[in-house]
């Protein structure tokens, strides 16, 4: 359905996204994991045709075989809402505080599908029910500030589903929410994707949420897709040093803070910090922080290698390979 | 058994909400309801809860930014809320705070060295300000010449190191960390947690560590207090609480934190 | 480099024009501004008198320049004086809070409710009309404006973490106001000062027009206007020139202030 081939987005000399290859099929649930500056949000914006004007795009972005890389805003407007929709991190900021949430949800149906108000209202009602908003008739008439954070996120999901998109992009949908609310929203997204046969791209820095929500995972660092595979396999047996470091640095809630001698356990860390976009290393983006680095890492970009079973990683030092 | 560094007894805090009607009394929000805890030197107490659980109000009371409506906070034998303004200012060098937002906690118009030395100026230390600023920078793993830079020249993790340097420059006994690693990337989070542990070992700090993330708390805390809607729902040694969460709410938090749920 | 907003550029040009003329008048005017020459009265524009002369044969250009200088000095002193007191009150209100803040703000409301002209007339009635009293009156109306802007911006800064950090460090409220609050609200105050400068120019012109400001023979746009009023049919240009000067000066500072606000207000710059 959606296909990226060697897709690059850059701002002058700063590359936000470098030669990304990605295929999204109907019903896929794909997690995109990375830290700030990894390019994950840039990727989402490109899939929505919402890359900033200053970005130069290269490579190919196809939707159903049509090249959309340099498509016009008008062409994208046809895609948005009906083919691809998006929900954002901050549910309060994404809703107009002066409009009733019902009107907000009905707008795309009236604009895109030319539904009458009554029809649109009917569909909004059933959407509110579908996303688990209690007492939907009353909620339609309420303003965003009258809803809790979780309810607002549900409204935004209903809004995104208004025109039955084939792909839903969720950019950090649970980061601003409390843990138990976040769990329920995550489960809701999974349920909706399964029931509707809709593809879901779940972008987050939270490995726990990705493990819960997705079948496949892409790990991003510094604008590169460093590893890809099924979520279960990648999390259980990471191949790329960055994925390993990221999983190691994530504190384990069941681990003890002190060993049996009463000494504190230190957490494994990735040294250094994510370099800013304009000073990323030329070769592997992880060079300089990588524990197993060899000289050519800094200068040569490791090509993505097929490890079998849909598993791909971009590193010079993968299993069984020695320089 | 030595006396605890900090002893908080039966703390409560209410906020008066805006009136909803002219005739009715304004509604009262109970932010913290009868919470007690102690922190010993060299020990970390974790307070876990979500937004609205009252954990930040608790931090503000421990920092003496706010008065409790009931209860007392005794720090090194002195009741924080009975002290005169000048005695409190003097005592402040003994307890310091690290904030959540590494971009908001440093004055963008001031050089880093100036910000780090601020607590020293507040207590009237003039003589070896420079030496102690450099010492604090080195303790948090930064370079002495970073003192002359501005906050915007640093990444989030480095700024949090600077904030920690400012907090330890007066050689405090207690550090209050309010969501101090929540805004950081995972790979940087672990560095800062390790730094806090190193400092605790070196300086014998007591730490009050506030977070919504149970996994982070588990990695650093000895004692744990779980809060919900202003009330303490579960407390005890961290290992105990995490192995056998008694309260349903703790179980939910644990579930949300687990990678392999 | 971001493009500067148009209002800022136009404002800056007009302000440069007025301030330039005022500054030049300190060292040079075509003629002595107050020098009368009855024989030359109502002279048309010429190489000698670029905009002609008035009913007493004084050179109009020279008078306009001297008036610009007077107007600028009055506005400058009034805004500095009123601004300093207002900013100090606003900082104090914000730092202490509670009943002090309420008290200062109610007083500010009172000041707002009191028209400047009325206050100037009162001063004039008690102490006699003079430029000093005009300055005091304009300064007085500036106090509540600055107090309110300062307190509003300062309250926002007080909620920021680095201010909490300074409190945790044991700094007292006055040191925090000086070290953190004032530098971080300076932009808002400068913007306000520029706009108030325009208001002050207008107020000075109005007071002088009513005879409560600059006294003869001191040059003033407002006074030129009131003198020309009786000669409207005979020599309308004598009313038009000072009126035009007032418009240029007020518009210039007003646009400059607006432009500065556009540049410094992060809410506007972020949206581009």
């Amino acid at each position: 359905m959606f296909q990226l081939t060697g897709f690059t987005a850059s701002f002058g000399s700063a590359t936000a996204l470098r030669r990304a290859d990605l295929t999204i099929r109907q019903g896929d649930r794909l997690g995109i994991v990375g830290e700030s500056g990894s390019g994950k949000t840039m990727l989402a914006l490109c899939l929505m045709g919402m890359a900033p004007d200053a970005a130069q795009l290269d490579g190919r972005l196809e939707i159903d075989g049509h090249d959309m890389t340099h498509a016009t805003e008008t062409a994208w407007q046809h895609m948005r809402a009906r083919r691809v929709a998006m929900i954002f991190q901050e549910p309060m900021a994404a809703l107009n505080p002066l409009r009733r949430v019902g009107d907000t949800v009905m707008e795309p149906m009236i604009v895109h599908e030319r539904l009458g108000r009554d029809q649109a209202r009917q569909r909004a009602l059933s959407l509110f029910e579908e996303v688990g908003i209690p007492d939907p008739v009353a909620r339609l008439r309420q303003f965003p500030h009258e809803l809790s954070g979780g309810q607002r996120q549900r409204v935004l999901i209903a809004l995104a589903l208004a025109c039955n998109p084939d792909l839903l992009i969720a950019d950090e949908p649970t980061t601003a929410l409390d843990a138990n609310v976040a769990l329920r929203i995550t489960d809701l997204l999974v349920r909706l994707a399964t029931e509707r046969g809709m593809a879901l791209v779940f972008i987050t820095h939270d490995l726990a949420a990705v493990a819960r929500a997705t079948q496949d995972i892409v790990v991003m660092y510094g604008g590169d897709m460093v590893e890809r595979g099924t979520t279960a396999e990648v999390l259980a047996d990471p191949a790329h040093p960055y994925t390993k470091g990221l999983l190691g640095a994530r504190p384990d809630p069941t681990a003890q803070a002190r060993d049996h001698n009463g000494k504190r356990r230190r957490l494994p860390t990735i040294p250094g910090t994510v370099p800013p976009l304009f000073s990323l290393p030329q070769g592997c983006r992880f060079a300089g922080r990588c524990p197993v680095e060899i000289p050519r890492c800094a200068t040569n970009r490791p090509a993505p290698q097929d490890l079998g079973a849909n598993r791909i990683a971009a590193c010079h030092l993968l299993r069984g390979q020695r320089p | 058994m030595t006396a605890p560094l900090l002893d908080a007894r039966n703390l409560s805090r209410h906020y008066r909400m805006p009136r909803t009607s002219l005739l009715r009394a304004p509604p009262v929000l109970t932010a913290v309801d009868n919470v007690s805890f102690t922190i010993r030197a060299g020990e970390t107490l974790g307070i876990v809860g979500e937004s609205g659980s009252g954990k930040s109000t608790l931090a503000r009371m421990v920092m003496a930014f706010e008065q409790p409506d009931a209860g007392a906070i005794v720090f090194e034998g002195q009741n924080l809320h009975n002290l005169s303004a000048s005695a409190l200012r003097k005592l402040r060098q003994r307890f310091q705070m690290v904030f959540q937002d590494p971009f908001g906690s440093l004055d963008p118009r001031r050089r880093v060295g100036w910000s780090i030395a601020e607590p020293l100026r507040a207590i009237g230390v003039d003589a070896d300000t420079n030496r102690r600023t450099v010492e604090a920078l080195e303790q948090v793993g930064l370079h002495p010449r970073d003192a002359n830079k501005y906050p915007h020249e640093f990444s989030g993790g480095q700024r949090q190191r600077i904030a920690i340097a400012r907090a330890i420059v007066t050689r405090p006994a207690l550090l209050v960390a309010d969501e101090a690693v929540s805004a950081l990337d995972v790979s940087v989070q672990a560095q800062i947690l390790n730094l806090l542990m190193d400092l605790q070992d070196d300086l014998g700090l007591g730490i009050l560590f506030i977070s919504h993330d149970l996994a982070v708390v588990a990695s650093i805390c000895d004692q744990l207090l779980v809060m919900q809607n202003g009330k303490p729902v579960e407390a005890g040694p961290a290992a105990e609480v995490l192995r056998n969460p008694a309260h349903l709410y703790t179980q939910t938090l644990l579930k949300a934190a687990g990678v392999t749920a | 480099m971001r493009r500067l907003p148009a209002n800022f550029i136009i404002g800056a040009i007009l302000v440069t024009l007025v301030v330039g003329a005022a500054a030049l008048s300190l060292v040079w005017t075509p003629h002595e501004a107050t020098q009368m020459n009855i024989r030359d009265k109502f002279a048309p524009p010429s190489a000698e008198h670029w905009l002609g002369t008035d009913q007493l044969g004084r050179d109009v250009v020279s008078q306009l320049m001297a008036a610009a200088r007077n107007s600028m000095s009055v506005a400058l002193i009034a805004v500095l004086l009123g601004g300093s007191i207002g900013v100090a009150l606003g900082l104090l209100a914000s730092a202490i809070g509670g009943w002090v803040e309420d008290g200062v703000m109610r007083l500010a409301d009172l000041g707002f409710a009191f028209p400047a002209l009325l206050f100037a007339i009162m001063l004039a009635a008690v102490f006699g009309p003079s430029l000093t009293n005009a300055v005091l009156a304009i300064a007085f109306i500036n106090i509540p404006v600055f107090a309110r802007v300062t307190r509003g911006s300062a309250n926002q800064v007080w909620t920021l973490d680095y201010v909490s950090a300074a409190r945790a460090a044991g700094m007292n409220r006055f040191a925090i106001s000086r070290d953190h609050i004032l530098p971080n609200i300076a932009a808002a105050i400068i913007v306000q000062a520029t706009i108030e400068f325009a208001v002050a120019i207008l107020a000075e012109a109005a007071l002088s027009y009513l005879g409560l400001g600059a006294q003869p023979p001191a040059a003033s746009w407002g006074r030129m206007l009131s003198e020309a009023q009786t000669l409207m049919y005979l020599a309308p240009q004598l009313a038009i020139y000072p009126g035009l000067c007032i418009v240029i000066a007020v518009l210039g500072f007003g646009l400059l202030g607006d432009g500065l606000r556009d540049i410094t207000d992060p809410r506007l710059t972020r949206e581009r």
Side-chain angles (χ1 to χ4, degrees):
Chain A
M1 235 168 42
F2 285 75
Q3 187 154 25
L4 292 177
T5 330
F7 190 77
T8 300
S10 52
F11 300 90
S13 60
T15 308
L17 200 58
R18 185 166 68 160
R19 276 178 274 172
D21 296 316
L22 184 70
T23 308
I24 303 167
R25 295 184 187 83
Q26 199 169 5
D28 277 357
R29 276 184 286 124
L30 176 71
I32 296 183
V33 181
E35 302 180 285
S36 51
S38 63
K40 58 188 197 300
T41 296
M42 191 65 195
L43 178 65
L45 291 175
C46 289
L47 285 175
M48 285 289 289
M50 281 162 56
D53 292 339
Q56 301 135 282
L57 306 181
D58 263 310
R60 208 171 156 82
L61 162 60
E62 282 175 25
I63 300 178
D64 297 328
H66 299 290
D67 185 3
M68 295 292 288
T69 319
H70 302 286
T72 60
E73 178 67 16
T74 327
W76 272 111
Q77 273 168 16
H78 279 275
M79 290 292 171
R80 288 182 209 140
R82 279 174 285 188
R83 301 304 317 272
V84 49
M86 187 164 174
I87 57 175
F88 300 89
Q89 171 172 353
E90 190 46 72
M92 193 64 200
L95 285 168
N96 182 344
L98 301 178
R99 296 191 76 189
R100 296 178 197 281
V101 294
D103 292 338
T104 303
V105 172
M106 282 150 59
E107 186 180 23
M109 307 175 201
I110 294 168
V111 172
H112 283 294
E113 307 197 354
R114 311 205 172 282
L115 292 188
R117 267 197 81 82
D118 286 339
Q119 275 173 296
R121 212 179 108 81
Q122 279 311 315
R123 200 197 282 181
L125 268 180
S126 67
L127 276 173
F128 271 30
E129 270 164 30
E130 190 180 354
V131 300
I133 295 175
D135 194 6
V137 182
R139 297 285 175 198
L140 279 178
R141 296 195 49 77
Q142 285 187 320
F143 290 96
H145 71 264
E146 298 176 283
L147 305 175
S148 69
Q151 300 290 356
R152 280 183 213 133
Q153 197 60 288
R154 284 174 199 268
V155 168
L156 282 173
I157 294 171
L159 172 63
L161 298 180
C163 297
N164 301 312
D166 303 310
L167 168 66
L168 177 64
I169 302 173
D171 187 7
E172 303 266 6
T174 59
T175 307
L177 303 174
D178 285 338
N180 49 1
V181 181
L183 276 182
R184 272 186 247 132
I185 295 289
T186 308
D187 292 346
L188 170 68
L189 288 171
V190 173
R191 198 194 82 212
L192 291 169
T194 323
E195 286 175 1
R196 290 168 160 257
M198 171 181 72
L200 175 69
V201 169
F202 194 99
I203 298 173
T204 184
H205 67 277
D206 184 353
L207 293 167
V210 163
R212 205 176 168 81
T214 64
Q215 301 156 324
D216 298 292
I217 189 171
V218 170
V219 181
M220 297 195 63
Y221 181 84
D224 277 4
M225 293 184 170
V226 296
E227 183 161 6
R228 202 165 87 206
T230 63
T231 307
E233 274 180 39
V234 171
L235 293 186
D237 180 24
H240 196 280
Y242 173 68
T243 319
K244 286 180 191 166
L246 195 64
L247 279 165
R250 165 78 197 163
D252 174 0
T254 57
Q256 308 258 320
R258 289 174 193 262
D259 63 22
H260 51 272
N261 294 324
K263 292 274 286 176
R264 276 190 182 288
R265 287 177 207 273
R266 296 296 189 270
L267 297 162
T269 59
I270 303 174
T273 56
V274 183
L277 270 189
F278 52 83
S279 62
L280 287 168
Q282 279 306 302
C284 175
R285 300 299 200 199
F286 196 44
R289 298 182 75 192
C290 182
V292 295
E293 190 174 337
I294 54 170
R296 91 180 120 112
C297 292
T299 48
N300 293 5
R301 174 179 187 253
Q305 298 187 38
D306 200 331
L307 306 179
N310 269 329
R311 191 78 185 276
I312 287 173
C315 178
H316 290 306
L317 293 167
L318 289 171
R319 269 166 282 179
Q321 282 187 298
R322 286 280 158 250
Chain B
M1 204 80 160
T2 51
L5 183 63
L6 181 95
D7 189 358
R9 288 181 220 131
N10 309 102
L11 293 178
S12 293
R13 180 84 174 101
H14 314 286
Y15 291 108
R16 210 169 272 270
M17 305 291 281
R19 267 174 199 277
T20 50
S21 145
L22 256 185
L23 300 176
R24 253 173 280 154
V28 170
L29 176 86
T30 304
V32 172
D33 190 5
N34 198 15
V35 177
S36 302
F37 56 86
T38 59
I39 301 173
R40 289 171 196 288
E43 188 186 80
T44 304
L45 168 71
I47 296 185
V48 196
E50 312 195 302
S51 54
S53 65
K55 56 190 199 307
S56 285
T57 306
L58 218 49
R60 296 182 62 78
M61 288 194 287
V62 170
M63 287 310 294
F65 291 157
E66 274 183 42
Q67 295 270 346
D69 293 318
I73 297 174
V74 178
F75 175 75
E76 292 186 326
Q78 290 177 281
N79 187 333
L80 280 188
H81 302 283
N82 284 345
L83 291 176
S84 70
S86 65
L88 177 62
R89 264 212 303 281
K90 228 184 187 104
L91 191 61
R92 279 194 184 280
Q93 59 179 298
R94 303 288 300 152
F95 58 99
Q96 291 284 325
M97 184 160 179
V98 181
F99 297 84
Q100 167 170 5
D101 178 10
F103 293 88
S105 67
L106 296 168
D107 191 331
R109 291 170 194 275
R110 299 286 179 184
R111 287 178 203 276
V112 161
W114 189 97
S115 290
I116 293 175
E118 189 170 41
L120 292 176
R121 284 192 303 276
I123 54 173
V125 176
D126 285 324
D128 48 354
T129 312
N130 277 336
R131 193 180 55 74
R132 285 175 70 172
T133 305
V134 167
E135 186 184 291
L137 274 169
E138 283 171 345
Q139 276 175 313
V140 299
L142 292 172
H143 197 277
R145 68 166 175 263
D146 289 337
N148 291 320
K149 296 186 186 166
Y150 286 94
H152 70 259
E153 297 175 60
F154 295 91
S155 70
Q158 288 169 319
R159 286 189 212 199
Q160 211 57 321
R161 286 176 192 270
I162 295 165
I164 293 172
R166 174 177 54 190
I168 60 169
V169 76
T170 57
R171 297 168 189 147
L174 175 72
L175 202 62
V176 177
D178 186 4
E179 300 276 12
V181 301
S182 306
L184 303 177
D185 282 324
V186 179
S187 72
V188 180
Q189 218 173 46
Q191 292 174 12
I192 300 295
L193 289 171
N194 285 349
L195 171 63
L196 287 173
M197 295 185 214
D198 291 342
L199 292 172
Q200 184 165 47
D201 287 350
D202 293 348
L203 311 173
L205 283 173
I207 299 181
L208 176 62
F209 191 92
I210 293 172
S211 178
H212 68 282
D213 187 337
L214 207 56
V216 165
V217 169
S219 68
I220 189 172
C221 294
D222 302 299
Q223 300 286 323
L224 208 57
L225 172 67
V226 183
M227 291 189 52
Q228 187 184 22
N229 298 331
K231 294 187 183 63
V233 297
E234 191 159 359
E240 282 302 303
V241 174
L242 293 169
R243 199 175 319 122
N244 285 316
H247 198 277
L248 184 66
Y249 183 65
T250 318
Q251 291 166 10
T252 314
L253 288 179
L254 205 55
K255 199 165 145 197
V259 172
T260 47
Chain C
M1 197 58 202
R2 204 176 38 197
R3 268 188 54 207
L4 293 168
N7 49 5
F8 177 82
I9 295 169
I10 298 171
I13 292 170
L14 295 181
V15 164
T16 311
L17 208 69
V18 176
V19 172
L24 185 62
S25 79
L26 287 171
V27 291
W28 177 83
T29 48
H31 295 264
E32 187 64 38
T34 53
Q35 192 195 330
M36 297 181 243
N37 189 349
I38 301 295
R39 258 177 309 171
D40 258 354
K41 67 180 176 181
F42 298 123
S46 63
E48 176 80 14
H49 302 287
W50 297 341
L51 294 176
T53 61
D54 68 2
Q55 73 282 7
L56 297 174
R58 291 172 296 195
D59 180 55
V60 170
V61 172
S62 306
Q63 278 204 79
L64 289 176
M65 285 171 68
R69 183 183 63 212
N70 283 340
S71 190
M72 294 300 113
S73 335
V74 168
L76 189 69
I77 297 169
V79 170
L80 277 183
L81 191 65
S84 319
I85 299 173
V87 168
L89 282 176
L91 283 176
L92 191 78
S94 177
I96 296 176
W99 65 267
V100 174
E101 182 170 11
D102 287 344
V104 169
M105 285 306 119
R106 292 300 81 75
L107 278 177
D109 290 344
L110 217 63
F112 265 118
F114 212 85
L117 283 180
L118 213 60
F119 186 73
I121 293 169
M122 205 176 77
L123 277 183
V126 180
F127 300 105
S130 76
L131 206 55
T132 317
N133 287 344
V135 170
L136 287 180
I138 299 167
F140 178 80
I141 50 158
N142 269 304
I143 295 174
V145 178
F146 280 93
R148 182 165 285 193
V149 167
T150 304
R151 177 253 195 179
S153 322
N155 278 355
Q156 278 174 19
V157 182
W158 271 101
T159 63
L160 299 178
D161 277 351
Y162 59 77
V163 175
S164 295
R167 285 176 72 195
M171 298 297 280
N172 72 45
R173 289 177 288 201
F174 303 105
I176 293 176
S177 294
R178 181 197 62 214
D179 290 347
H180 296 290
I181 311 291
L182 192 55
N184 281 293
I185 63 172
I189 293 175
I190 290 169
V191 168
Q192 194 63 39
T194 314
I195 292 170
E196 288 311 312
F197 210 89
V199 176
I201 292 168
L202 204 57
E204 188 274 334
L207 289 175
S208 295
Y209 175 83
L210 293 174
L212 301 172
Q215 298 302 306
S220 157
W221 293 331
R223 216 169 47 73
M224 289 170 78
L225 211 51
S226 80
E227 283 170 9
Q229 186 184 331
T230 50
L231 307 163
M232 269 305 265
Y233 293 105
L234 204 61
Q237 78 277 9
L238 292 181
I240 291 171
Y241 295 140
L244 213 56
C245 285
I246 295 171
V247 170
I248 290 173
V250 171
L251 201 65
F253 279 100
L255 286 174
L256 187 69
D258 272 357
L260 278 175
R261 179 179 323 211
D262 291 350
I263 292 169
T264 55
D265 193 327
R267 274 168 306 179
L268 289 166
T269 46
R270 209 180 300 143
E271 284 166 16
R272 269 178 288 171

